[in-house]
Amino acid sequence: MSSRLDVAPPSEPTDPNQPDVAAQGSAISATKESLEDYTLRFAPRSYRKWGAGVVATSALGGIAYLADFSIGANIGMAHGTTNALLGIAVAALVIFVTGIPLAYYAARYNIDLDLITRGSGFGYSGSIITNVIFATFTFIFFALEGSIMAQGLELGLGIPRQIGYALSTLIVIPLVIYGMKVLSKVQVWTTPLWLVLMVIPFGYLIATHPDSVGDFFAYQGEDGDGGLSLASVMLAAGVCLSLIAQIAEQIDYLRFMPPKTRENRVSWWRAVIIAGPGWVVFGALKQAIGLFITVYLIATLDPAAAATANEPVHQFLGVYEQMMPGWLALTLAVVLVVISQVKINVTNAYSGSLAWTNSFTRVTKTYPGRMVFVIVNLGIALLLMELNMFDFLNTILGFYANCAMAWIVTVATDIAINKYVLKLSPKRPEFRRGMLYAWNPVGVVSLALSAGVSIAVFFGAFGPAVQPYSPIFAVMIACIATPVMAIITKGRFYLRRTDDGIDLPMFDADGNPSGELLRCHVTGLSFERPDMVRSAEDGPNGEPQYISSLALATDRTGRYVLPAQPKSV
């Protein structure tokens, strides 16, 4: 995905009203780096040249990770097949429902989840909290996928795991440097081989070992006590719900959707649903397949296989060895693991670096360059791998799920209820500095309540009887607290201004963001109408000047920020 926005040459400061050199340099640096894919701001119409199907295909390429196979194996071994499958279904339903409004807003208004979060209950600075939650998601799952790759390198090439952890980290850096232009090619080129290597083992077992299906449904877990239990179902669901933040990475692609029109509305909606909330359907299937293969290995081949049956490289190797010579089986298993790890971890490293950079820029008003945080994110992930986080997978994911659910459910509820039912939240999203309050108690309080209570429940603060139900607390509190807070505050803290000072319409006749260009007087570059606001500083002759949202983000003085509008009584 690569294109250039039509830009005007940078202007030279000629009078005191022009920006200082340091501020202008920081703004231009931040702007030029993000011209590759617009990941730090609104994605302009001039850049979005792909059809709905192409965008959807690219988005689904990012769910090639093997963590699902480990998650399915782990919860099945802990709780039995019946409870694991029900837990997978519960988690998939929650993720699908909450993903619909988020995917729609990303595709319709061409903004990422951070920009959606700003105007959906959190405020301009409040969404920094959720950015950190998302960044945490990226390095946890980078570490998980890196651990899986290290297992494959150890098994196939005899490389010690500690060295394998480092290799799995270093291999992605050259790919991440160039942003989405390279990432999209990686996804397209590797997807066909990945699909073949993943699907064949499952099909082989069904065709040649039909009794494995009965063994699968009869499996009671490692302790043999996996009968139907609501507590076990919810514990399994809690682990699966840690993946709820995956919608943010899907949205990184969906914001490049073409404008929605009468002519393309069917294909547009189909792409949004399949590549947005629909990702969880594929994820749930992978979790079930991971458990299916694990049960086959334990029940059919060797009971001692339980020690490594939750490791995808051993799962696929065990089946491949039934189909082909050992050397070829081992080769294909390692190739599958490496391809999967690269496909997802370039996205994890990239998205994580953007989340950290976005937060750092808003806090400090300086732009250090995205590569700084690529190294930070990968360093944290490598530390988790070296600490052997794979052995504590269920606990780590179960804990993280409470934070991720609190965020995603709060934003989804704000869109569905506060915007469309209560009409207390502005229906069209706002993300620009000066237009929003820095903090909105609607989202911040709801997040604190739902995450705080559910984490306390998860760690047993309210007793063991309710401990398995922390996901229910996270979802229900976020669903209730978000509209209640909007009612209490009467929606006063959403918009600092309703007028951005620009007379041009924000949307076209079909309701899509306008493609009209305006010149940013700080950077000298041109940006589309939705990305711009009027600057608080007029030109030399009193004429209005405009400034981009990203240039505002690096303005340390606040000199360009429009004053708040008086509240109507």
Side-chain angles (χ1 to χ4, degrees):
M1 295 185 178
S2 176
S3 179
R4 283 282 177 185
L5 181 64
D6 183 27
V7 297
S11 60
E12 294 293 333
T14 57
D15 62 68
N17 287 328
Q18 290 295 317
D20 61 78
V21 175
Q24 187 180 43
S26 182
I28 292 175
S29 174
T31 302
K32 286 185 174 179
E33 182 169 303
S34 65
L35 280 175
E36 169 63 28
D37 47 30
Y38 301 92
T39 46
L40 295 179
R41 62 179 193 272
F42 164 79
R45 180 180 296 207
S46 59
Y47 181 75
R48 294 179 280 112
K49 301 297 185 182
W50 307 274
V54 173
V55 175
T57 301
S58 298
L60 289 175
I63 63 169
Y65 52 85
L66 295 180
D68 276 327
F69 294 93
S70 290
I71 290 172
N74 277 311
I75 62 175
M77 292 167 69
H79 307 293
T81 295
T82 300
N83 294 316
L85 292 179
L86 289 174
I88 291 170
V90 169
L93 179 62
V94 172
I95 293 172
F96 189 89
V97 171
T98 56
I100 292 174
L102 303 179
Y104 170 74
Y105 261 58
R108 182 62 162 157
Y109 299 108
N110 313 113
I111 53 179
D112 65 17
L113 190 49
D114 172 60
L115 271 58
I116 294 172
T117 298
R118 294 182 196 180
S120 298
F122 284 83
Y124 184 78
S125 298
S127 70
I128 293 173
I129 301 171
T130 62
N131 251 6
V132 173
I133 293 175
F134 177 55
T136 304
F137 170 87
T138 63
F139 66 63
I140 286 177
F141 279 90
F142 187 105
L144 177 54
E145 289 296 320
S147 296
I148 293 171
M149 179 174 174
Q151 293 161 5
L153 294 176
E154 181 181 47
L155 183 65
L157 302 176
I159 297 174
R161 288 202 185 184
Q162 283 68 30
I163 298 177
Y165 296 150
L167 290 175
S168 68
T169 303
L170 294 174
I171 195 174
V172 305
I173 293 178
L175 299 173
V176 175
I177 291 174
Y178 298 102
M180 292 302 295
K181 179 180 179 180
V182 171
L183 300 190
S184 61
K185 291 180 179 179
V186 170
Q187 301 294 9
V188 171
W189 292 345
T190 56
T191 293
L193 178 59
W194 174 82
L195 280 172
V196 170
L197 292 176
M198 187 192 73
V199 171
I200 285 180
F202 179 67
Y204 171 81
L205 288 183
I206 296 295
T208 62
H209 296 76
D211 55 324
S212 61
V213 176
D215 293 338
F216 171 63
F217 285 108
Y219 183 61
Q220 297 290 299
E222 285 184 308
D223 59 7
D225 188 27
L228 181 61
S229 163
L230 181 58
S232 295
V233 170
M234 294 313 302
L235 285 170
V239 175
C240 299
L241 281 166
S242 63
L243 294 166
I244 196 170
Q246 175 64 29
I247 189 64
E249 293 190 354
Q250 301 304 115
I251 281 173
D252 278 345
Y253 291 91
L254 283 179
R255 60 203 174 83
F256 294 118
M257 285 285 288
K260 176 176 173 287
T261 63
R262 286 188 177 184
E263 292 73 24
N264 74 350
R265 65 184 184 276
V266 174
S267 61
W268 190 93
W269 270 111
R270 181 170 58 242
V272 169
I273 295 300
I274 292 175
W279 79 265
V280 76
V281 176
F282 300 98
L285 288 173
K286 288 195 295 174
Q287 290 164 12
I289 291 172
L291 176 55
F292 179 82
I293 295 176
T294 295
V295 172
Y296 170 77
L297 294 179
I298 295 172
T300 306
L301 296 182
D302 180 6
T308 56
N310 64 338
E311 298 179 5
V313 64
H314 286 281
Q315 292 173 353
F316 285 94
L317 176 61
V319 181
Y320 284 146
E321 286 179 334
Q322 309 301 303
M323 304 167 56
M324 60 192 70
W327 66 269
L328 181 57
L330 181 58
T331 300
L332 292 182
V334 173
V335 168
L336 173 62
V337 167
V338 171
I339 288 178
S340 299
Q341 191 271 342
V342 170
K343 281 173 72 66
I344 186 58
N345 268 356
V346 291
T347 302
N348 280 331
Y350 179 61
S351 296
S353 70
L354 294 172
W356 288 122
T357 304
N358 200 325
S359 299
F360 185 87
T361 300
R362 274 183 285 163
V363 170
T364 65
K365 305 298 186 295
T366 58
Y367 185 80
R370 182 171 59 82
M371 280 308 298
V372 171
F373 287 102
V374 168
I375 303 302
V376 169
N377 216 45
L378 297 189
I380 297 173
L382 180 57
L383 178 62
L384 285 177
M385 286 186 272
E386 296 292 352
L387 293 174
N388 201 21
M389 60 93 63
F390 199 85
D391 285 349
F392 307 97
L393 183 61
N394 280 9
T395 301
I396 292 173
L397 298 185
F399 164 74
Y400 176 78
N402 295 286
C403 301
M405 283 186 292
W407 163 37
I408 298 297
V409 175
T410 294
V411 176
T413 302
D414 190 90
I415 294 174
I417 304 300
N418 294 358
K419 292 184 187 300
Y420 284 87
V421 178
L422 300 178
K423 303 186 186 305
L424 292 172
S425 176
K427 185 173 291 187
R428 284 173 170 168
E430 181 58 76
F431 58 88
R432 298 165 294 175
R433 182 184 177 191
M435 300 301 294
L436 293 166
Y437 284 100
W439 298 88
N440 187 340
V442 173
V444 175
V445 172
S446 298
L447 172 67
L449 282 175
S450 55
V453 172
S454 62
I455 289 172
V457 172
F458 178 80
F459 284 109
F462 299 97
V466 298
Q467 192 171 8
Y469 304 101
S470 65
I472 293 179
F473 283 88
V475 171
M476 295 306 298
I477 293 174
C479 284
I480 295 170
T482 304
V484 167
M485 285 301 302
I487 293 170
I488 291 174
T489 61
K490 299 180 181 178
R492 292 194 303 269
F493 299 99
Y494 282 97
L495 293 179
R496 182 174 174 270
R497 293 183 60 88
T498 56
D499 177 17
D500 63 7
I502 302 177
D503 293 332
L504 295 173
M506 181 76 80
F507 301 94
D508 64 17
D510 291 315
N512 299 296
S514 168
E516 192 77 25
L517 290 174
L518 292 169
R519 181 177 174 277
C520 172
H521 79 99
V522 173
T523 63
L525 304 176
S526 295
F527 300 87
E528 291 184 5
R529 167 69 177 89
D531 207 30
M532 302 291 286
V533 296
R534 179 169 176 167
S535 173
E537 289 192 355
D538 292 336
N541 300 313
E543 71 275 13
Q545 298 189 118
Y546 307 107
I547 184 169
S548 71
S549 63
L550 195 58
L552 274 174
T554 57
D555 171 28
R556 301 183 188 181
T557 65
R559 61 192 278 192
Y560 307 119
V561 180
L562 292 169
Q565 288 178 304
K567 293 290 183 182
S568 58
V569 180

